[in-house]
Amino acid sequence: FGREPDGSPATHDDATRRAAALSARIFDAPEARATSLQELATNPLMLQILCLLFWDQGHLPEKRAELYEACVRTLLQLWRDAKRQRAAQRDLPMIGHQDALAVLQPLAWHLHQHNARELPEAKVIEAIAQPLQMRSELDLTPTAFLQQVRDQTGVLVSLGRGDYGFLHLSFQEYLAACHVQNSVADEPEIFDALAANFGDDWWREVILLSLGLTNPSLFGRLMAHLVRSKALSRDVLLASDCLRDAAEPSANALLQLLRSGIDDAGERYQVLRLLKSSRLGAWRDATVVGKETGRDVLRAIGRKEKSAEVRSLLSELLGEEITVSPSLGTKMRRAFARFLGVRPPGPDFAGSTVIGERVHEKDGSVLVYVPGGSYTLGGEAYSDEKPIHMVTLSPYWIGKYPVTNAQYGTFLEATKRGKPSRWNDKQFNGPDQPVVGVSWHDAQAYCAWAGLILPSEAQWEASARGTDQRTYPWGDGEPTKKLANYGKNVGRTTPVGSYPDGAGPFGMLDQAGNVWEWCVDVWSDDAYKGREGQEDPVNTVGDKTVRALRGGSWILVPR
């Protein structure tokens, strides 16, 4: 890493400093995306390339699309130029950077479409023949091109047994994404392939890298295809990652989708959830079409929205109640109920307003109202759930979502309290993900700052089970990937509110899976014994260093 290999102490110190900085970037960065760097560095040739990039630029690109582009450019251009003299001595033509990309990108796409890392030489030659014809100035046969790329660049390597593949899977994914970008003008149906494979781990990086490229930006067009294919609900974490990794995320693109009409309520919810992201800025008063603003678009949707979960999210986004225009049949039923002198039952009428929610001004928490009354708690399946009993609770408000990293970050900034463990781990520290690594005392401190209190275990359970003694917040049906984040089915925490179908009886979300939630009670196996008929019970007996947790997490399976 010394710029002048003179052996001086200054050069040695400079080389040591640069090597330590590169090592920290690759091996010590507390982020999920660092794993891709670590995998690259296990390959000696790739480690050399990373060193060259770091020496040349003083840093490694933060965005993966830029990192892979730089690595490919290094292989196709810098090392090729270093070999120019040997090639000239052998009277071999040099393949230009852009020429090589024009042929290798379709090959990468071909490999990825076939779920393959390698192909026999004959299949590779067949795959590159047509794109090579388009570069007639090269005047190379497919066989000669293959040999030259292999010998001059190292991007495509011989794997033995006559098979060829890219030096690293990341290169294949990046070049396949470049093929998507370069093909959309002539082959718009290529988006259909991405939408069809949304949620497939094999395609995850190709989709994200496609969104990370610019000129053109693919965000709006790809989102439209994903919504039409009902793909966003298929993998809510990937949907959030699309917004995170997009080079040019656009609130206007999402608003245009909503304005044009999204038939599926689940997809409407997911688009609104993405719109809620702070990355998209002040969209409410921004112009969408003519004088129509983002706020106007959402209000228009709200007037005819039938999904309670979508109405609730619309209410949050607008900061106002959403009134649904009742149908003629609903109006007639209401009139008949008034004629009989009875009050129409709320759940039967889609024209009711969203009630029972408010935003807490201090920290922005959405609070859900739980009416007072009698609630049956407990169960017979496990000893710590026994016995089934009834308690009386006063009316209360409880958080609709777990506290997010964005909210907790505001608390940390205001109080200068120490950061929780995993705070810098990018697997868990997205702004909309629930904060993790928080102790009970941390939770108490947050509530004191926000002007809130932790719920009692009785309040938490009542809000999750309602008055019908359901097994899960959504009812008695077994958990599915559409209802909750559990059993490592995603592999990390998901942004809060990602599973509207898993809503509880009062509209709370994420009460099963994702993260454990603290209650104020002291934990005890016998907490439910002798509690029949109590009012607003809170257990204070036992080891006060052990507190009650409810809800499960993204790791655990249902018991």
Side-chain angles (χ1 to χ4, degrees):
F1 277 116
R3 291 189 178 275
E4 298 179 10
D6 56 10
S8 68
T11 297
H12 179 271
D13 290 345
D14 181 55
T16 301
R17 178 180 57 80
R18 289 169 176 268
L22 177 58
S23 177
R25 176 70 180 91
I26 295 175
F27 299 107
D28 298 334
E31 56 177 273
R33 293 301 181 191
T35 57
S36 59
L37 279 176
Q38 292 162 13
E39 290 169 0
L40 288 174
T42 60
N43 183 302
L45 179 56
M46 288 307 309
L47 182 58
Q48 285 182 280
I49 294 170
L50 294 176
C51 289
L52 278 173
L53 284 174
F54 195 81
W55 179 84
D56 185 55
Q57 301 181 12
H59 68 279
L60 294 179
E62 291 291 331
K63 294 184 177 180
R64 287 170 304 122
E66 295 175 359
L67 173 66
Y68 299 145
E69 193 278 332
C71 288
V72 170
R73 185 180 66 249
T74 298
L75 282 168
L76 291 180
Q77 191 169 341
L78 299 182
W79 282 22
R80 183 209 65 180
D81 292 345
K83 296 181 180 181
R84 184 181 298 276
Q85 186 173 0
R86 273 187 294 164
Q89 290 173 351
R90 296 167 57 194
D91 197 26
L92 295 174
M94 298 302 299
I95 300 173
H97 177 218
Q98 295 302 325
D99 290 330
L101 286 178
V103 179
L104 293 176
Q105 288 169 7
L107 174 61
W109 177 255
H110 178 84
L111 277 163
H112 224 75
Q113 276 191 307
H114 291 81
N115 281 51
R117 287 289 316 278
E118 57 192 59
L119 283 175
E121 181 176 347
K123 291 289 185 181
V124 174
I125 288 173
E126 181 181 330
I128 66 175
Q130 184 176 359
L132 187 59
Q133 279 185 336
M134 305 295 291
R135 317 294 291 191
S136 56
E137 66 276 11
L138 283 178
D139 193 25
L140 287 172
T141 66
T143 299
F145 175 89
L146 179 61
Q147 292 173 347
Q148 291 296 84
V149 168
R150 178 197 64 195
D151 295 342
Q152 292 179 16
T153 71
V155 173
L156 201 67
V157 295
S158 174
L159 302 173
R161 307 179 309 280
D163 292 338
Y164 283 81
F166 287 93
L167 176 63
H168 195 276
L169 177 59
S170 295
F171 287 173
Q172 179 176 313
E173 293 165 335
Y174 167 72
L175 291 171
C178 291
H179 178 75
V180 172
Q181 182 191 42
N182 294 331
S183 301
V184 291
D186 301 321
E187 303 174 45
E189 63 276 7
I190 202 167
F191 284 125
D192 295 330
L194 297 182
N197 291 291
F198 196 82
D200 184 337
D201 285 345
W202 175 250
W203 286 89
R204 184 180 190 89
E205 292 304 312
V206 173
I207 292 170
L208 294 177
L209 288 167
S210 297
L211 290 169
L213 298 170
T214 57
N215 194 27
S217 167
L218 306 183
F219 180 78
R221 297 178 66 182
L222 180 54
M223 280 293 161
H225 277 75
L226 294 176
V227 167
R228 282 198 293 271
S229 301
K230 300 181 182 179
L232 295 181
S233 301
R234 197 185 307 151
D235 191 331
V236 295
L237 186 56
L238 179 54
S240 295
D241 286 349
C242 284
L243 188 65
R244 179 201 65 197
D245 284 13
E248 298 177 6
S250 166
N252 193 274
L254 299 180
L255 289 166
Q256 292 283 6
L257 277 174
L258 291 163
R259 186 178 182 276
S260 63
I262 300 174
D263 294 336
D264 184 77
E267 292 298 293
R268 285 198 301 279
Y269 181 93
Q270 294 302 332
V271 171
L272 288 167
R273 186 178 65 80
L274 295 178
L275 189 62
K276 187 180 175 183
S277 169
S278 58
R279 279 196 70 194
L280 296 178
W283 52 265
R284 292 172 183 81
D285 297 316
T287 300
V288 180
V289 175
K291 294 184 178 180
E292 192 175 9
T293 65
R295 194 184 302 275
D296 296 331
V297 171
L298 265 60
R299 283 173 174 162
I301 296 170
R303 283 193 288 271
K304 56 184 178 181
E305 183 57 61
K306 298 298 188 291
S307 165
E309 290 75 27
V310 176
R311 288 202 309 274
S312 177
L313 189 50
L314 283 167
S315 180
E316 284 182 45
L317 288 163
L318 290 171
E320 59 192 46
E321 290 185 349
I322 299 298
T323 302
V324 181
S325 302
S327 65
L328 178 61
T330 298
K331 290 178 180 178
M332 293 177 65
R333 287 196 298 274
R334 284 178 171 171
F336 185 64
R338 284 194 296 270
F339 175 76
L340 295 176
V342 298
R343 181 181 178 182
D348 291 343
F349 296 92
S352 61
T353 57
V354 174
I355 60 173
E357 291 187 9
R358 65 181 176 87
V359 177
H360 187 61
E361 186 175 348
K362 178 73 173 184
D363 71 340
S365 289
V366 180
L367 302 180
V368 174
Y369 179 76
V370 180
S374 297
Y375 291 89
T376 300
L377 309 178
E380 293 294 335
Y382 301 94
S383 61
D384 57 358
E385 296 177 351
K386 296 179 181 180
I388 295 175
H389 61 287
M390 184 176 290
V391 300
T392 301
L393 298 177
S394 303
Y396 59 97
W397 296 83
I398 190 168
K400 182 177 181 178
Y401 310 108
V403 173
T404 66
N405 287 310
Q407 291 173 300
Y408 202 80
T410 302
F411 159 69
L412 293 180
E413 185 175 350
T415 62
K416 309 305 179 186
R417 193 177 182 88
K419 296 175 182 177
S421 63
R422 317 303 289 271
W423 182 253
N424 293 319
D425 188 337
K426 289 195 176 180
Q427 187 175 2
F428 301 107
N429 72 353
D432 296 330
Q433 286 177 282
V435 64
V436 298
V438 173
S439 71
W440 183 83
H441 292 287
D442 291 333
Q444 283 282 67
Y446 178 91
C447 288
W449 166 80
L452 300 167
I453 59 172
L454 287 176
S456 68
E457 195 173 4
Q459 288 174 327
W460 192 99
E461 185 173 335
S463 68
R465 300 185 71 182
T467 58
D468 56 8
Q469 303 176 56
R470 58 185 63 189
T471 305
Y472 299 101
W474 53 83
D476 293 323
E478 289 298 311
T480 68
K481 293 181 180 181
K482 193 172 176 60
L483 295 170
N485 177 13
Y486 67 97
K488 298 183 181 180
N489 60 18
V490 172
R492 54 185 164 120
T493 57
T494 44
V496 301
S498 293
Y499 298 87
D501 290 345
F506 301 104
M508 291 176 64
L509 294 167
D510 291 359
Q511 284 190 288
N514 215 10
V515 288
W516 288 103
E517 299 177 13
W518 286 114
C519 296
V520 71
D521 303 58
V522 174
W523 169 256
S524 171
D525 283 342
D526 300 327
Y528 283 7
K529 293 178 181 177
R531 211 163 71 166
E532 179 69 34
Q534 288 187 10
E535 294 185 10
D536 298 323
V538 177
N539 182 60
T540 59
V541 178
D543 183 353
K544 290 182 172 53
T545 64
V546 183
R547 299 286 173 163
L549 283 166
R550 299 299 297 261
S553 76
W554 62 276
I555 297 176
L556 297 183
V557 296
R559 66 173 192 171

